[in-house]
Amino acid sequence: MKTNIKKAAKTRILAILIVILSPSVFFAQGKAEKVEQLKIAYFTKELNLTTQEAEKFWPVYNEMEKKIKALRKERKKTFKELEYKGDSLSVELVKKHTNSIFDSEIAEVNTKKEYYAKIGGIIGYKKATKVYKVERDFKRELLIRLKEERGQNPKPQRPNKPE
């Protein structure tokens, strides 16, 4: 009985992936929505999330992403100020900005640690450990796909996964 339920769940996920990945959906929606749908499908598949896990995982993951995005935005702003005004800033202000950048990087790592614990409590720590690898893999696949769509880089050879 459990095998049938697992097969049905996998079949539903596969069907969702096919719909999401279809070109007609791509042109009908905004790119941000499309990327978000692809991300959900990719993460769900790669992390092998159950429906219940996914319902609890995504709000927590999105909250983490929002916090990290805010930290990065502030860090980028500080970098730009240093880049454009660096020569005209006092040494003390340069030190202050540089320390602010380091503090932001530390805050980002602490945020990831905090959310690793939260996500681990939801989907288990083995799956939670894979989240960051899945993020990197998704970004890489997305960049490859965008380049292919623009005709910039026809299907590069991907390294084989170790067995």
Side-chain angles (χ1 to χ4, degrees):
M1 180 98 178
K2 285 186 180 182
T3 340
N4 290 340
I5 294 171
K6 284 183 180 180
K7 282 184 182 179
K10 286 183 180 181
T11 304
R12 273 184 270 151
I13 290 171
L14 185 59
I16 290 169
L17 277 171
I18 290 169
V19 169
I20 290 172
L21 296 174
S22 72
S24 61
V25 174
F26 179 76
F27 293 110
Q29 299 175 348
K31 286 198 183 227
E33 283 180 10
K34 169 77 166 86
V35 169
E36 191 60 30
Q37 288 180 345
L38 287 171
K39 185 176 189 175
I40 291 169
Y42 189 86
F43 275 54
T44 301
K45 178 183 174 270
E46 292 299 314
L47 295 172
N48 198 22
L49 297 177
T50 66
T51 306
Q52 294 82 5
E53 287 173 333
E55 287 174 0
K56 294 176 184 174
F57 168 79
W58 285 107
V60 174
Y61 180 82
N62 290 337
E63 183 180 300
M64 176 189 70
E65 258 196 335
K66 186 177 177 182
K67 287 182 179 184
I68 290 172
K69 193 177 278 187
L71 288 167
R72 288 177 179 168
K73 184 178 180 180
E74 192 60 38
R75 193 164 57 234
K76 186 177 180 180
K77 182 179 164 187
T78 306
F79 266 122
K80 281 188 176 191
E81 187 170 347
L82 281 172
E83 182 180 349
Y84 294 115
K85 298 180 184 177
D87 292 338
S88 64
L89 297 175
S90 70
V91 172
E92 287 306 312
L93 200 50
V94 169
K95 285 181 184 178
K96 181 181 174 190
H97 284 337
T98 303
N99 283 328
S100 170
I101 291 167
F102 293 144
D103 290 342
S104 174
E105 289 175 350
I106 290 167
E108 183 174 334
V109 169
N110 287 335
T111 300
K112 287 180 179 182
K113 282 175 66 176
E114 173 190 346
Y115 280 87
Y116 169 74
K118 288 181 180 182
I119 290 170
I122 295 168
I123 64 173
Y125 289 93
K126 287 185 179 183
K127 286 182 183 180
T129 300
K130 294 177 184 178
V131 168
Y132 301 109
K133 180 189 180 316
V134 171
E135 281 179 331
R136 282 191 319 272
D137 292 349
F138 175 73
K139 288 175 187 174
R140 183 176 40 246
E141 290 294 324
L142 187 62
L143 287 173
I144 289 168
R145 189 170 174 172
L146 287 172
K147 284 181 179 181
E148 287 172 357
E149 286 177 5
R150 293 179 184 154
Q152 294 175 347
N153 194 4
K155 284 259 189 211
Q157 293 294 324
R158 295 185 188 122
N160 292 331
K161 290 183 180 179
E163 294 180 30

